[in-house]
Amino acid sequence: RQQLTTIPTVVHVLWSSDDQNISQDQIQSQIEVLNADFRAQNKDKVDVPDCWTGLVADANVEFVLASTDPDGGATDGIIRKRTDVTSFTVNDRMKSDATGGSDAWPTDRYLNLWVCNLGDVLGYAQFPGGPADTDGVVILTSAFGTSGTATAPYDLGRTATHEVGHWLNLRHIWGDKNDCSGSDEVDDTPTARRPNFGRPTFPHVTCGNGPNGDMFVNYMDYTDDAVMVMFTAGQAERMNAALDIRGF
Ligand code: ARG
Ligand code: ZN
Ligand code: CA
C-alpha cells in the first residue's frame, strides 16, 4: 500500500500514585514521537550512518488520539484509572477492569496503549494474530513520552516506537537467537548476533556483517532511545502488510 494509514489510539493511564497519573502534555509528546518516527520525520535521523541513509523509510502510518469512543460518543482518547495494583507484569492484567486494569477498546478499530508501572520492564506488545481482548501495547510510565515522568535514557519515546513496531509484526533485528541463526524476516536489515545496548560505536561487526555491522540505530534493536532512529524499507513493507491483515 502507498497511502497514509491513520490509527485511532486510546491511551489507558493506570495509576496507583499521583505521579503515575501523567499529564496530557506527556501523552501528547508520545503521540508526536510516534508520528515523527513512523513518517521518518524524526530530526535525529541525521545520525544514521551514511551506508544506511538510503534504507531509511517512511512507514506511512500516523497516530491520532481517538475522538470517538466505541459507542460513538466524543472522547479525548485518554482513559485514566486509579488502581490498587502498584506494579503490573507481562501477564496482561492491565488490560482488564476485573484485574485492576482497563478493558481494551475494540482492537480492530483502535490501537490500545496502556501506560502503567511494569517494574523493570520498559514495555511489551502483542503481535498480530493474538487474542483480540489483549491486543495492543504496554509501556512503563517512566519510558513514555518525552516530558513529565519520562526518565533517561528512555525518555525520547522510543519504547513505544519499538513496541508498536512489534504490534505491526516486526521482530528484533537479531532474530532473538543470539547465535547468528535468527532472522527478523526482513532482507534489508543485517543479520546480527545479539541485541546492542546503550550507545555502541559504529561499526559493530558480528555474524560476518562487515564492514557496516549491526544496524544498532534501528528501532528494533535494544539501544538507548537517543541511538535508535530508523526503520528500513523492508520493515515498512512488513508493517504495511500487517496493517492489511489487521484491517486498518
Ligand atoms: N525490552 C523491550 C522489548 O523487547 C523494549 C526495549 C526498548 N528500548 C528502548 N531503548 N526504548 O520490547
Ligand atoms: Zn522488543
Ligand atoms: Ca534481516
Side-chain angles (χ1 to χ4, degrees), residues 85-209:
V85 181
T86 53
S87 187
F88 291 93
T89 58
V90 294
N91 61 11
D92 292 337
R93 286 190 186 149
M94 72 291 290
K95 301 176 181 176
S96 166
D97 284 321
T99 49
S102 174
D103 288 345
W105 284 11
T107 49
D108 55 342
R109 290 153 54 202
Y110 299 94
L111 165 60
N112 284 265
L113 237 163
W114 288 269
V115 184
C116 59
N117 186 6
L118 269 178
D120 52 16
V121 175
L122 293 173
Y124 75 101
Q126 184 170 301
F127 286 96
D133 57 341
T134 52
D135 187 72
V137 162
V138 187
I139 308 290
L140 174 71
T141 308
S142 60
F144 190 77
T146 62
S147 64
T149 60
T151 306
Y154 306 114
D155 58 346
L156 297 180
R158 261 61 193 260
T159 302
T161 300
H162 175 111
E163 300 307 335
V164 174
H166 285 314
W167 183 73
L168 292 175
N169 212 24
L170 294 189
R171 308 274 154 175
H172 292 136
I173 52 164
W174 68 97
D176 293 314
K177 284 279 214 287
N178 292 20
D179 62 0
C180 301
S181 74
S183 170
D184 62 357
E185 311 290 337
V186 173
D187 289 337
D188 62 6
T189 53
T191 300
R193 180 176 297 274
R194 56 172 75 91
N196 291 282
F197 294 94
R199 294 174 171 262
T201 45
F202 175 84
H204 182 241
V205 176
T206 66
C207 304
N209 63 13

